[in-house]
Amino acid sequence: MSASEFSPAPFGRYYLRSLLAEGGMAEIFIAEHVGAEDVSKILAVKRMLPHLCRQPALVTMFLDEARIASRFSHPNIVSIFDFGEVGGRYYLAMEFLVGDTLTTVIKKAYGSDRPMPVPIVLAVMAAVCDGLHYAHSFADNGVALNVVHRDISPSNIMLTYQGGVKVVDFGVARALDRRQEATETGVVKGKWPYCSPEQLQAGEVDRRSDIFSLGVVFFEALTGRRLFKRDTDLLTCMAVLNAPIPKVSELRGSLSPDLDRVVAKALERNVDRRYQTCQE
């Protein structure tokens, strides 16, 4: 990640050192938390944009992310350490990840005509499956939260320079105790080229929806090609629902036919024929 120019500033218990990114609902900073005896820790602070803090529905959505993700403790899910409000600005303090998104890695690899090595793709996908299975199966005091991420895409998978793989951004995740969900019906969450068919049709979704999305990511990491992305949103949605899905071995001849079977099963449009869990 590269940080833009920014004048360091105090923010509650944190010292914001540089702006990493801005867009969507929030801006993200590299921040320092200084504790007792001047022991400091570098974190990332995700701070909601000021004009959005005046919209209760968006505030609830932002805090829902904190409420869900802060309960998780898994090596393949970004850790949330703190959340709250300072001067009317809502924030999350989370693990600072030094690395690139899978989007960036795919573009760099195939842009230089050097496909991602298959063992690396498999290791990344296995790690994401591990993290998602943990989230999907998570229970609080014996009550299953039935978490569904709903926005699995290469941009929400971080690869750290130390070899870690992290699922990030549970901002549109569905869970049993999500407060914003009760006020919304028929709303499609997530990025359309990675949505499952049932997600695009605003139907009920469960963990198998994330498996379809991960199947799209798997296809693109193996081939360097966008599977469903088209020139317009409408054409993209039609492709997700109806377009033929080529075998990955047809697009990259060195691939094992076993990968055709795995990717095809993850991308089954019939949820009952899809893998039923990420562990599977």
Side-chain angles (χ1 to χ4, degrees), residues 125-137:
M125 292 300 108
V128 174
C129 281
D130 222 19
L132 282 178
H133 183 72
Y134 171 89
H136 291 159
S137 307

Side-chain angles (χ1 to χ4, degrees), residues 81-178:
F81 300 121
D82 182 29
F83 63 97
E85 175 264 332
V86 175
R89 301 289 297 275
Y90 294 90
Y91 72 89
L92 303 177
M94 64 186 75
E95 179 181 11
F96 175 52
L97 303 175
V98 182
D100 285 314
T101 66
L102 183 56
T103 298
T104 299
V105 173
I106 291 173
K107 286 181 178 178
K108 286 182 177 179
Y110 291 92
S112 61
D113 201 27
R114 286 161 47 181
M116 287 185 68
V118 172
I120 291 178
V121 175
L122 297 181
V124 170
M125 292 300 108
V128 174
C129 281
D130 222 19
L132 282 178
H133 183 72
Y134 171 89
H136 291 159
S137 307
F138 189 81
D140 191 12
N141 293 322
V143 179
L145 293 189
N146 299 321
V147 172
V148 185
H149 188 286
R150 296 197 297 189
D151 197 15
I152 293 298
S153 64
S155 62
N156 284 333
I157 298 170
M158 281 290 302
L159 309 183
T160 73
Y161 297 148
Q162 291 75 37
V165 180
K166 302 276 186 174
V167 178
V168 304
D169 199 350
F170 281 77
V172 299
R174 193 216 68 183
L176 181 65
D177 66 346
R178 186 177 180 94

